[in-house]
Amino acid sequence: GAVVSQHPSWVICKSGTSVKIECRSLDFQATTMFWYRQFPKQSLMLMATSNEGSKATYEQGVEKDKFLINHASLTLSTLTVTSAHPEDSSFYICSAKGSGSNQETQYFGPGTRLLVL
Amino acid sequence: DAKTTQPTSMDCAEGRAANLPCNHSTISGNEYVYWYRQIHSQGPQYIIHGLKNNETNEMASLIITEDRKSSTLILPHATLRDTAVYYCIVRLTGTASKLTFGTGTRLQVTL
């Protein structure tokens, strides 16, 4: 099956700093990538959708200036949490959807756990 | 996208079949039924999807009723590693569509 990776898997940062999370599709070209957030004991919440070369579309209530998304190539998307605060601590998960046989199915990365102190 | 209803939790003995139901009574004709699972502290894993016909792959079988208002995911021989939260999601076709996760069913496989 299609493989999506994320880096880093764990990150701890101080309040006020920015953190960048990478999401890569390893064996297919991802025309669309999605970013989700999951708080403890809750389900995944979609944050934004990005298409390669276009600006991301954010879900209602998600601050686009705080969560910067770049999808510059067909295999890489990044999420930058700017000026992170403790309430941003969460499990961030990306997923990717491609073309051809992978067009309709979203494949998920392993997630990045962010802890803001 | 149509909403889905799943039981909050289920238990299954190891080696037995696990049958996970999902109700999607408002599904429309161009919406697929997708199943994912999330093992603790990992990203969701794709299991299977279908439109009208029953589907089977190396992981599971998906049985969709004739009226498409409900479906059942079947894990034929559950193992302890199948303990996870299972999500049934109805999604439109097309590149603009997205997956919306509900609360899923927590499946506990026991010895």
Side-chain angles (χ1 to χ4, degrees), chain B residues 25-75:
Chain B
S25 58
T26 59
I27 193 170
S28 62
N30 56 351
E31 288 180 311
Y32 282 83
V33 179
Y34 277 78
W35 283 83
Y36 285 80
R37 72 180 182 184
Q38 187 177 25
I39 295 169
H40 184 62
S41 295
Q42 298 182 24
Q45 177 188 22
Y46 166 76
I47 302 174
I48 198 167
H49 75 281
L51 183 63
K52 293 190 290 189
N53 299 322
N54 298 337
E55 302 288 344
T56 296
N57 62 21
E58 64 278 5
M59 288 183 69
S61 294
L62 174 60
I63 309 298
I64 302 174
T65 58
E66 195 168 337
D67 64 7
R68 301 187 69 238
K69 293 186 176 183
S70 66
S71 61
T72 301
L73 178 74
I74 302 173
L75 308 178

Side-chain angles (χ1 to χ4, degrees), chain A residues 49-58 64 69-71:
Chain A
T49 303
S50 73
N51 292 297
E52 186 262 340
S54 303
K55 286 186 178 180
T57 301
Y58 290 81
K64 62 180 181 181
I69 292 171
N70 184 283
H71 189 171

Side-chain angles (χ1 to χ4, degrees), chain A residues 11-80:
Chain A
V11 58
I12 301 173
C13 70
K14 292 182 179 180
S15 186
T17 60
S18 295
V19 174
K20 181 185 282 189
I21 302 169
E22 290 187 351
C23 175
R24 293 181 186 273
S25 56
L26 298 185
D27 52 1
F28 68 101
Q29 294 188 321
T31 51
T32 308
M33 285 187 165
F34 306 83
W35 287 95
Y36 292 80
R37 179 168 54 180
Q38 186 176 33
F39 292 107
K41 299 190 188 298
Q42 294 186 22
S43 191
L44 284 77
M45 295 297 295
L46 179 65
M47 298 174 68
T49 303
S50 73
N51 292 297
E52 186 262 340
S54 303
K55 286 186 178 180
T57 301
Y58 290 81
E59 295 298 303
Q60 192 172 9
V62 178
E63 301 173 57
K64 62 180 181 181
D65 294 330
K66 181 168 183 63
F67 299 99
L68 302 179
I69 292 171
N70 184 283
H71 189 171
S73 79
L74 284 172
T75 59
L76 173 65
S77 176
T78 60
L79 167 68
T80 301

